[in-house]
Amino acid sequence: MEKFIVKGEVQLNGTIRMSGAKNAILPIMAATLLCSGISIIHDVPYLRDIKVMQDILALLGAKITREKNTLVIDTTIIQDTEIPEHLMREMRASVFLMGPMLGRFHKVRMSYPGGCAIGPRPIDLHIKALEKIGADVKEGFGFIEAQTNCLTGGEINFDYPSVGATENAMMAAVLAKGSTIIRNAAREPEIYDLQVFLNKMGAKVMGAGSDIIRVDGTEKLTATEHIVMSDRIQAGTFLVAGAITRGDVMVENILSEHLFSVTDKLKEMGVQITTGKNYIRVQSGDLRGVDIKTLPYPGFPTDLQAPMLSLVTNGKGTSIITETIFENRFKHVDELIRMGAKIKVEGRTAIIRGIPKLTGAIVAAHDLRAGGALVLAALAAEGTSEIENVYHIDRGYEALEEKLRSLGANISRHKKD
Ligand code: UD1
C-alpha cells in the first residue's frame, strides 16, 4: 500500500507531453485477439489496467513483450476461451474481450463483472448487441457464456450510447457474415481510434465518431501496427493542475478538439486558454464558479468530473456539478470536505461554494479519477496532505508524481506505515 505526500500552494509551470490513452489501448489490445499474428502498439504507458489486460491475454495464450512504450502482442496461439475470474474482477474493461473472442473462436466464458466503486455497471447493452448479430448468450451462477455457429450482420440500436458496448459490437461484427449497422453508437474519440486500428487489420468499419457505425464483415484479418491516440482525460487533469495552482501549464501531444467541452468550462471560470495544432496551454488567476453536467461525448466527460469538482472548491462563487453517467461518482466529496471544501450533494448533483483556500489533510482515493482529483486539491491546499490508496491512481495515471514534479510540484510516493 502506498500513499502520496503533497506539500501544497506551489504554482505549476512548464510543459508536459501526453502518452497514449488507456481507454483506447484496452479495446485495441482486446482487438489483437481477432486474428493470428503479431500486433505492435506504440505509446503505451505503464498503467495497472494495461498490465491486467496483458495478464489476461497471456493467460489465454498470447505472448506479450514490452520494449519501453511499445507492446508486441503475438496472438498466434490462443488455447483458452475462458477469462479467469480474479482478473475479470480486477478490471471491468475485460468485458471487451467478448466481441473479439466470439468473432475468432465463436465462444467465450467469463465471470460477471458486477458492480464497482463508481456504481453498478451492467453489461446488458453489450449482451443485447452481441445477440443481435447471432451470439447465443447464457447467464447464470455469476458467469456469462456466449457462443455462436456464425456471427451474422444485423441492426443494433442502442438504448444508450455505451462506449464499451459500441466497441464490443464493432469488434464482434468485423468477422461476421454480412453488414452490421450500429445506431445510437457512442461517439468518443477512442471509438474512432479503434476503427482506425480495425481497418488497418483489414476490417471495413465506417462512421465511428458519429452515432451510426457500419461494419461490413470480412473473412480474415491480419495483425498490424498502430500508434495509439493520446489521453484526453490525462490531458484534462494536467490542465486542471495548472488552473488550480494558478500556474501556467502547456499540455503537448493532444488534439484540442477532444477537450472543447472542458476548455470551454475553464474559460468560463476565467482561465486563459491557448490552443495550437498539438497543444493546449492554461494560464490561471482568480477563478469564478461554473455549472457542469456530465454527458456522453462531445459533452463534458464524466472522467473529468472529479478533477473539475476539486477545481471549483477553490475560487469565488457557487458551482453546480451534475453527474448523469454514473450513479455513485461523488466519493471524492467527503474527502474534499476533510480538506475544508464546502460541498452539498443532493442525489446526482453537487453544490459547491468556492473558498479561498483548501487545507491539507489525510484523505483516501476511492477510485481512479477521485484519486486524481484529491491530488489536484492537495496541490493547491495550504500545508501538507496525504493521499492513501495510490493503487487506484496507478490504474490510469502513469507516474503521476514524477510528471507533476517536472512541473514544480512537491509530491512524493511513500510506503504506507
Ligand atoms: C468507458 C470508459 C470510462 C468512462 C465511460 C463513460 C473505458 C475503458 N472506460 O467505460 O472511463 O467513464 O466510458 O465515458 O473506455 N451501461 C448500461 N449497460 C451496459 C453498459 C453501460 O446500463 O451494458 C451504463 C453504465 O452503467 C453507465 C453508462 O451506461 O451508467 C455509461 O457506461 P459506458 O459508456 O458503457 O462506460 P464504459 O464503457 O464502461
Side-chain angles (χ1 to χ4, degrees):
M1 292 287 258
E2 291 177 325
K3 64 181 178 186
F4 283 146
I5 297 185
V6 183
K7 291 201 175 80
E9 291 187 287
V10 180
Q11 224 180 43
L12 298 196
N13 294 304
T15 301
I16 183 110
R17 182 190 178 274
M18 292 303 107
S19 53
K22 164 179 89 76
N23 287 355
I25 295 163
L26 293 173
I28 284 173
M29 287 175 78
T32 64
L33 285 174
L34 280 162
C35 69
S36 161
I38 299 176
S39 302
I40 302 173
I41 313 170
H42 298 286
D43 219 354
V44 178
Y46 286 85
L47 295 174
R48 203 162 65 88
D49 276 6
I50 288 171
K51 180 67 176 60
V52 173
M53 187 59 103
Q54 269 178 247
D55 291 348
I56 296 176
L57 294 179
L59 271 166
L60 298 176
K63 296 201 169 32
I64 305 176
T65 50
R66 188 174 180 129
E67 180 66 35
K68 294 197 176 133
N69 283 351
T70 296
L71 270 189
V72 179
I73 306 177
D74 182 352
T75 54
T76 308
I77 300 166
I78 300 293
Q79 69 267 28
D80 218 332
T81 52
E82 176 162 347
I83 296 153
E85 182 167 3
H86 68 283
L87 290 173
M88 196 65 209
R89 281 185 182 280
E90 186 124 342
M91 187 182 58
R92 198 194 122 84
S94 35
V95 75
F96 288 138
L97 295 159
M98 281 181 90
M101 297 289 276
L102 270 173
R104 179 165 162 202
F105 301 106
H106 296 171
K107 62 176 181 178
V108 60
R109 185 172 194 268
M110 57 173 61
S111 72
Y112 198 79
C116 77
I118 58 177
R121 294 178 84 169
I123 57 164
D124 54 314
L125 299 172
H126 297 248
I127 291 173
K128 271 193 220 158
L130 297 174
E131 283 174 339
K132 282 276 168 60
I133 55 172
D136 177 19
V137 186
K138 290 195 174 60
E139 294 174 81
F141 305 101
F143 278 86
I144 308 158
E145 265 184 65
Q147 54 186 1
T148 181
N149 289 330
C150 169
L151 291 175
T152 47
E155 296 255 340
I156 299 169
N157 296 301
F158 281 120
D159 294 336
Y160 180 88
S162 154
V163 177
T166 301
E167 292 168 334
N168 233 337
M170 283 163 74
M171 291 190 279
V174 288
L175 286 175
K177 276 204 162 55
S179 300
T180 300
I181 305 288
I182 306 171
R183 293 206 167 79
N184 199 20
R187 292 184 284 168
E188 270 66 4
E190 292 76 12
I191 295 171
Y192 179 77
D193 207 39
L194 178 62
Q195 169 177 287
V196 172
F197 183 78
L198 292 170
N199 287 346
K200 280 186 187 171
M201 294 175 90
K204 296 191 183 96
V205 188
M206 283 154 279
S210 79
D211 60 356
I212 302 182
I213 298 174
R214 180 191 169 109
V215 184
D216 293 331
T218 43
E219 277 189 9
K220 199 172 174 313
L221 299 171
T222 42
T224 189
E225 187 164 353
H226 185 62
I227 304 174
V228 87
M229 65 169 274
S230 72
D231 194 327
R232 63 194 168 97
I233 304 301
Q234 188 193 168
T237 307
F238 278 93
L239 295 179
V240 174
I244 203 168
T245 61
R246 310 302 192 258
D248 181 349
V249 170
M250 167 130 59
V251 172
E252 280 183 344
N253 188 33
I254 187 74
L255 279 181
S256 56
E257 68 195 56
H258 285 172
L259 281 159
F260 276 155
S261 62
V262 178
T263 47
D264 273 0
K265 288 294 166 189
L266 289 171
K267 281 184 198 163
E268 251 181 87
M269 294 182 73
V271 178
Q272 198 182 321
I273 302 280
T274 323
T275 57
K277 197 162 163 262
N278 214 10
Y279 73 86
I280 306 176
R281 178 180 179 189
V282 288
Q283 290 164 286
S284 176
D286 282 346
L287 297 180
R288 295 186 286 277
V290 75
D291 293 347
I292 294 172
K293 193 184 211 178
T294 62
L295 287 169
Y297 190 84
F300 192 95
T302 173
D303 287 348
L304 286 173
Q305 176 260 106
M308 279 302 269
L309 200 146
S310 284
L311 180 61
V312 299
T313 58
N314 192 239
K316 289 190 184 127
T318 299
S319 302
I320 299 176
I321 296 194
T322 309
E323 172 59 58
T324 75
I325 312 283
F326 292 110
E327 266 174 45
N328 197 5
R329 216 171 190 183
F330 281 133
K331 292 214 165 160
H332 39 297
V333 165
D334 283 346
E335 307 298 316
L336 288 170
I337 288 172
R338 283 168 173 267
M339 300 177 78
K342 303 285 177 235
I343 310 171
K344 223 169 97 185
V345 173
E346 284 172 11
R348 288 183 168 220
T349 299
I351 301 147
I352 306 106
R353 186 157 56 79
I355 55 168
K357 195 138 289 264
L358 298 170
T359 44
I362 298 177
V363 291
H366 294 299
D367 68 60
L368 162 59
R369 305 299 170 190
L374 295 176
V375 171
L376 295 171
L379 291 171
E382 185 181 346
T384 301
S385 299
E386 290 187 16
I387 295 126
E388 297 176 344
N389 300 349
V390 166
Y391 64 92
H392 281 301
I393 298 172
D394 291 336
R395 277 187 45 219
Y397 293 106
E398 180 189 40
L400 183 62
E401 74 279 26
E402 285 171 29
K403 290 187 178 161
L404 288 170
R405 272 203 301 268
S406 76
L407 298 173
N410 190 334
I411 174 170
S412 48
R413 185 185 285 256
H414 300 260
K415 287 256 172 294
K416 203 174 155 224
D417 324 310

